[in-house]
Amino acid sequence: MTTAITLGRGSRLLTLYSYYSLFLALAIVVVDGVDKQNIIIAGKLPDLFLILS
């Protein structure tokens, strides 16, 4: 009985982490798409932005 509760909690945590990483990736893509002149992101260190994204 305890194992089922633990797996449920782990599953919820994994789902939350998946949503968080999806939101973070989408936020980076949206900000990069809006920033046509590369002022906000990748203006000074484009190689670092490429590696991090």
Side-chain angles (χ1 to χ4, degrees), residues 3-47:
T3 307
I5 294 171
T6 305
L7 290 177
R9 179 175 284 166
S11 178
R12 281 187 284 162
L13 186 60
L14 185 59
T15 302
L16 183 65
Y17 177 73
S18 297
Y19 285 137
Y20 169 73
S21 62
L22 179 65
F23 170 75
L24 193 60
L26 287 175
I28 290 172
V29 169
V30 167
V31 169
D32 187 49
V34 170
D35 185 27
K36 297 295 181 193
Q37 296 177 348
N38 291 330
I39 296 172
I40 300 172
I41 296 179
K44 300 184 189 255
L45 301 169
D47 295 332

